[in-house]
Structure formats: C-alpha cells, structure tokens
C-alpha cells in the first residue's frame, strides 16, 4: 500500500463516515421495494413516477450518501485539513439528506395515487438546500487553496461545483412545477440535470478519488499527467458548453437550426469520448499494478470501467445511427437499447461497482488506521492490533462481489424482460443486506478491539 504524501493527522472519528455508509443500505431497501411494488410498468419509460423515484433513491440515497461519507474521510488525508465541528456538520448533512431524499421519493410516487406533490417537493428543496448545499459549500471552502494533492483535489473541486449546478437546475425545475411553468423551463433541462449529476458530480469525483486511491490501495502507477490534470477540466468545460447551448436554443427558439444542433451533438460526442479515454487509461493503470494478486476491489473496478466504456460506445453508436439512418431508432429500441437501458447500466454497472470497490477497501482500512493510532507507541497494545483481513475477510468480500454481479445480471435481464422485476428487487435486497451485515460486523470488531486496546493502555 502506497501512503506517501498523505496526511493522517486530521482524520475524523470512525463514526463520521460510517453513519453515511450505514444509511445507504436503507435507501437500497427502499429502492428494492419501489421495484417490487411498481412491477413492469416502470421499465417502459424513464418518465414514469416510480422510475424517477427509483433513480433519485439510488443516486441520492445510496451513491451520494456513500460519497459524502468517503469525502469526509478522504479530504483530510488528501488536503491535510478537516472541517471544523465535523461531527456536527456530518450529522446535520446526514439528517437533511435523508429527509430530502425521502421527501423527493414520496413526491414522485404521490402522483401515482393522486396525492398533492407540492408539499413534498418543497420539503425536499429546502432540505437539500440546507443540507447538501451547505455540505458542498463547506467542502469548497475547505479546499479553496491549492495544495500538494492538487490533481485529486482540483478534480474533486470541479465535481463539487458540478453538484451546485445540479442543485441550481433542480431548483429551476422545481420552481417550474410549483409555479405552474411561470418560469418557462422546459423538460430539456432534465437531460442537463442528469448529465451534471451523473457525469459532473459523481463521475468527476470518482475520477478525482481514483487518481489517488488506485495507486494507494493497489500499487498501480500514477495516471498520466494529461489525463489527471486536463481530462476532468475538459469534461467540465464541455458539460458547461452543452448546457449553455441548450439554454440558448430554448430561450432564443433556435431548436431547429442545424448549426446549434451540431454544437449540441459535438458536445455529447466529446463527453462520451472523454469518458472512454478515462476508462481505457484507468484499465491500463490497473493492468500495470505491481501486486498482480486476485483482489475483489480490483475486479469491481474492472467491471465498473468496462461498463462505463461499453455504455459510452453504445451511446455513441446509437447517436450516429439515429443521425444517419432512418428507422434506426426503432431498430435499436427493438434490440433493447434505449436511453433508460444505458442510464441503468451506467448507474449500476459503472457507479455502483465503483462504490463496491471503494467501500470494501475503505471500511477495514479506516478501522485499522484508527486502532493503530489508538495504540500509539504502546507495544502491548500493538500486539492486539488486527490486520485488515481479520476485520473483513477475503471470502466475505468475494461473496459481496458475487451478489453485486448477480444484481447487475438481473438488472440487464429485467431491462430486456420487465417481468423479471421481482428477481431484481430480491437481488438488490440481498446485495445491500449483505453489505449492511459486513459493515456492522467490521464496526463490531472495531469496537471490541478498541475496548481491548484501551484496557491494555491502562496496564502498567
């Protein structure tokens, strides 16, 4: 493990990231219940209320929750600085994010039962503004200056700015709904909202973390400078250009002008090519790692990067076919490839796979690190220090990998045949139920060892 250049003096308590990690499976169970009770209809269109509820449950309740917990732990290591009153900030962020996500899910599902959505949307808007908005503002304040970990930090900074853009677009869409389209915001903003969330916020932060974590945990070579320094900025600029062009086309009635449509197409093509370049580069770095041993985390990274690459390639081919071949769109839909299919594989195959790769490394490492710091220089206490595989065994990691692969497989067959929705629901419950069991087990072992070390420290 390569720990050179990292600062472990300001890390928060073990409970700070764990409270976010433990909340994620709860929203996974909610996602599984949405799938189970909605049935086949939610797989027909991405505009189905249950589909929107499921998407936000996974992106906000699972992915963003785990990312916020990991960021609270990683930033002090990378930047050498920690948030003041980190326990208070993390608790407020967790509570408001949970309330906002539950309110948003309820708002989307309310329309299926003829209930008033306005109150739930309003509660969600206020909760995310105070919670996630305040959290991101605090993080941006923390990393406002350049430091020695500039490549990772600068990429993550772009990701946090992208999340603010996600929030601004969400506020416009919410205002458009609450005030009966008084602001004339069209559904085209929804695509930009999704792009900024999945590519700008989540993918950029993952890229920033990977620049540090892959060499750190897997002894892989550093990413090429052109990739780590320039590719994230390139993706951010292209995203911004695409959004500005979309807004300009909408407001100036330029939707049917070929030149503006071409600029839009170029931007989307460049985004896909940029993500493909990152996927190939990351795979190349992992293949050149010094420790060529079987590692569940590495396997999850390979699954994630392959899914990212495949999604981008298929999306690129679909765009070219749609623009050049008449009737190609119906052909692609008949083969099972639709925007909903690609978005689902992108979220579960790329992002959730990275989440699995990260969490099985981060949790035992953090537990070990905190126990090691607790021991200090007391040799008798050091004899009680477990290794990381005692905290989370390789066999248990392997079972988690199997459950994730099975969930991904059931997602794909459900996308092709929605009648299998019940199997996907059970698979998600099984995967995240087992993940919850592993996290609770590591936490229990950590508390037991911490107590034993405390007792050893009291001995003369």
């Amino acid at each position: 493990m390569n720990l050179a250049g990292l600062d472990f003096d300001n890390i928060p308590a073990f409970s700070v990231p764990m409270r976010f990690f433990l909340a994620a499976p709860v929203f996974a169970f909610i996602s599984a219940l949405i799938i189970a009770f909605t049935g086949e209809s939610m797989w027909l269109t991405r505009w189905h209320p249950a589909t929107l509820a499921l998407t936000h449950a996974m992106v906000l309740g699972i992915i963003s929750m785990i990312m916020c917990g990991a960021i609270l732990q990683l930033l002090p290591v990378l930047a050498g600085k920690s948030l003041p009153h980190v326990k208070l900030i993390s608790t407020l962020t967790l509570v408001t994010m949970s309330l906002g996500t539950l309110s948003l899910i309820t708002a989307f599902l309310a329309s299926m039962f003829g209930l008033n959505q306005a109150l739930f949307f309003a509660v969600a808007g206020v909760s995310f503004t105070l919670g996630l908005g305040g959290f991101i503002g605090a993080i941006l304040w923390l990393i406002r200056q350049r430091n020695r970990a500039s490549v990772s930090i600068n990429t993550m900074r772009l990701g946090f700015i992208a999340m603010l853009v996600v929030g601004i677009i969400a506020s416009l869409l919410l205002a458009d709904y609450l005030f009966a389209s008084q602001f004339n915001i069209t559904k085209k903003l929804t695509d930009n909202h999704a792009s900024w969330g999945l590519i700008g916020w989540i993918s950029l932060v993952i890229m920033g973390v990977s620049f540090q974590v892959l060499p750190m945990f897997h002894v892989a070579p550093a990413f090429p400078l052109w990739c780590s320094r320039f590719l994230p900025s390139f993706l951010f600029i292209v995203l911004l250009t695409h959004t500005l062009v979309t807004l300009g086309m909408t407001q100036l009635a330029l939707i049917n002008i070929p030149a503006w449509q071409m600029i839009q197409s170029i931007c989307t093509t460049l985004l896909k090519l940029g993500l493909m370049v990152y996927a190939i580069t990351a795979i190349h770095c992992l293949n050149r790692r010094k420790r060529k041993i079987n590692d569940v985390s590495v396997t999850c990274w390979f699954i994630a990067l392959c899914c990212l690459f495949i999604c981008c390639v298929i999306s690129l081919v679909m765009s070219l076919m749609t623009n050049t071949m008449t009737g190609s769109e119906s052909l692609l839909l008949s083969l099972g490839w639709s925007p909903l299919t690609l978005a689902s594989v992108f979220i579960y195959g790329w992002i959730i796979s990275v989440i699995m790769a990260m969490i099985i490394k981060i949790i035992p490492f953090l537990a070990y690190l905190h126990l090691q710091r607790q021991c200090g220089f007391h040799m008798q206490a050091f004899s009680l220090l477990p290794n990381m595989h005692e905290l989370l065994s390789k066999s248990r990691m392997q079972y988690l990998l199997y459950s994730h692969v099975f969930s991904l497989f059931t997602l794909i067959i459900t996308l092709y045949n929605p009648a299998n929705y019940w199997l996907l629901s059970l698979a998600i419950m099984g995967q995240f139920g087992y993940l919850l069991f592993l996290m609770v087990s590591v936490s229990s072992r950590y508390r037991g060892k911490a107590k034993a070390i405390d007792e050893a420290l009291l001995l003369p």
Side-chain angles (χ1 to χ4, degrees):
M1 184 178 294
N2 182 10
L3 304 179
L6 302 180
D7 186 348
F8 295 97
D9 293 333
N10 298 300
I11 57 173
F14 184 64
S15 61
V16 170
M18 284 305 298
R19 63 188 66 177
F20 287 89
F21 297 160
L22 291 169
V26 176
F27 286 98
F29 298 150
I30 293 173
S31 301
L33 290 174
I34 292 172
I35 294 171
F37 285 102
T38 307
E40 300 180 36
S41 60
M42 67 176 295
W43 303 100
L44 301 177
T45 172
R46 66 173 179 151
W47 302 112
H48 193 288
T51 308
L52 295 171
L54 174 64
T55 302
H56 288 84
M58 301 201 73
V59 172
L60 292 170
I62 302 174
I63 297 168
S64 293
M65 197 71 75
I66 290 177
M67 286 175 62
C68 286
I71 287 162
L72 283 171
Q73 187 68 55
L74 287 172
L75 272 183
V77 175
L78 300 176
K81 295 178 283 187
S82 181
L83 285 175
H85 310 293
V86 66
K87 285 189 176 181
L88 176 62
I89 291 175
S90 64
T91 301
L92 292 175
T93 302
L94 177 63
V95 170
T96 51
M97 277 188 66
S98 300
L99 177 61
T101 305
L102 290 172
S103 299
L104 194 58
I105 294 169
T106 306
F108 286 123
L109 295 177
S111 64
M112 298 175 60
F113 304 98
L115 302 176
N116 186 7
Q117 299 172 285
L119 175 61
F120 297 109
F121 274 130
V123 171
V126 172
S127 298
F128 284 124
T129 300
L130 295 176
L132 197 54
F135 175 80
I136 292 170
I139 296 294
L140 288 173
W141 173 82
L142 180 68
I143 58 176
R144 65 193 184 282
Q145 296 176 345
R146 295 178 64 88
N147 50 68
R148 62 179 179 272
S150 59
V151 171
S152 290
I153 293 296
N154 286 342
T155 303
M156 292 169 70
R157 182 186 289 117
L158 292 176
F160 292 122
I161 295 172
M163 187 56 184
L164 290 179
V165 177
V166 174
I168 292 169
I169 296 175
S171 299
L172 292 173
L173 292 170
L174 181 59
D176 188 50
Y177 168 78
L178 293 176
F179 298 98
S181 301
Q182 181 178 330
F183 294 94
N184 194 28
I185 303 299
T186 69
K187 287 294 183 183
K188 282 187 171 293
L189 270 181
T190 306
D191 292 334
N192 285 274
H193 175 66
S195 298
W196 279 102
L198 297 179
I199 300 175
W201 156 238
I202 298 173
S203 295
L204 280 180
V205 171
I206 288 174
M207 289 169 66
V209 171
S210 71
F211 296 152
Q212 182 65 51
V213 164
L214 294 188
M216 172 182 166
F217 281 130
H218 306 297
V219 200
F223 280 73
L225 195 59
W226 60 263
C227 177
S228 59
R229 178 169 293 180
F230 301 113
L231 184 58
S233 300
F234 171 77
L235 291 172
F236 186 90
I237 292 170
V238 173
L239 262 176
L240 182 60
T241 304
H242 182 270
T243 302
L244 293 175
V245 168
T246 301
L247 289 173
M249 290 172 64
T250 302
Q251 297 301 318
L252 301 176
L254 301 173
I255 295 175
N256 296 318
I257 296 180
W260 286 79
Q261 291 177 335
M262 183 177 293
I263 295 174
Q264 259 195 330
S265 298
I266 290 173
C267 288
T268 54
T269 300
L270 289 175
L271 284 174
K272 295 164 190 173
L273 290 173
L275 291 173
M276 288 165 61
V277 167
Y278 166 75
I280 293 171
T281 306
I283 290 172
H284 179 66
C285 288
L286 279 174
N287 278 327
R288 292 175 57 210
R289 69 191 188 279
K290 293 181 181 178
R291 292 190 305 169
K292 297 293 182 70
I293 59 175
N294 290 329
D295 191 302
V296 171
S297 181
V298 171
T299 304
C300 286
W301 270 106
F302 276 125
I303 292 172
L305 294 166
C306 288
C307 286
L308 174 62
F309 183 80
I310 290 169
C311 283
C312 291
V313 169
I314 293 175
S315 180
L316 197 59
V317 171
M318 286 173 61
S319 299
L320 292 173
M321 289 180 64
T322 303
N323 292 331
T324 58
M325 296 173 57
T326 57
S328 60
E329 189 170 356
S330 59
L331 173 63
L332 291 168
L333 289 174
S334 67
L335 294 175
W337 290 109
S338 67
L340 177 60
T341 303
L342 289 174
S344 301
V345 176
F346 187 93
I347 291 172
Y348 214 93
W350 155 234
I351 301 173
I352 296 292
S353 295
V354 170
I355 293 295
M356 294 295 110
M358 293 289 294
I359 206 162
I360 60 177
K361 282 292 183 182
I362 288 177
I363 291 178
F365 173 71
L366 291 181
Y368 175 84
L369 182 62
H370 282 280
L371 291 173
Q372 185 186 51
R373 287 166 58 84
Q374 185 181 348
C375 290
F377 296 100
H378 197 286
M379 296 307 297
Q380 189 172 350
F382 256 106
S383 65
L384 300 172
L385 188 65
N387 63 49
M388 282 187 277
H389 291 310
E390 288 180 62
L391 295 166
L392 182 58
S393 67
K394 287 185 177 181
S395 61
R396 287 185 170 182
M397 293 183 193
Q398 199 73 39
Y399 294 143
L400 182 64
L401 171 64
Y402 295 151
S403 66
H404 174 62
V405 171
F406 181 70
S407 295
L408 184 57
F409 173 73
T410 57
L411 171 65
I412 292 171
I413 65 172
T414 301
L415 289 166
Y416 278 90
N417 182 9
N420 294 305
Y421 69 89
W422 60 272
L423 186 59
L424 174 60
S425 178
L426 290 176
I428 292 174
M429 281 192 175
Q431 177 185 343
F432 282 92
Y434 188 62
L435 176 62
L436 179 60
F437 165 74
L438 293 183
M439 290 192 291
V440 171
S441 297
V442 173
S443 298
S444 177
R445 288 190 177 94
Y446 167 78
R447 288 193 300 270
K449 289 294 183 181
K451 183 178 179 181
I453 290 172
D454 277 338
E455 292 172 352
L457 292 174
L458 294 175
L459 297 176

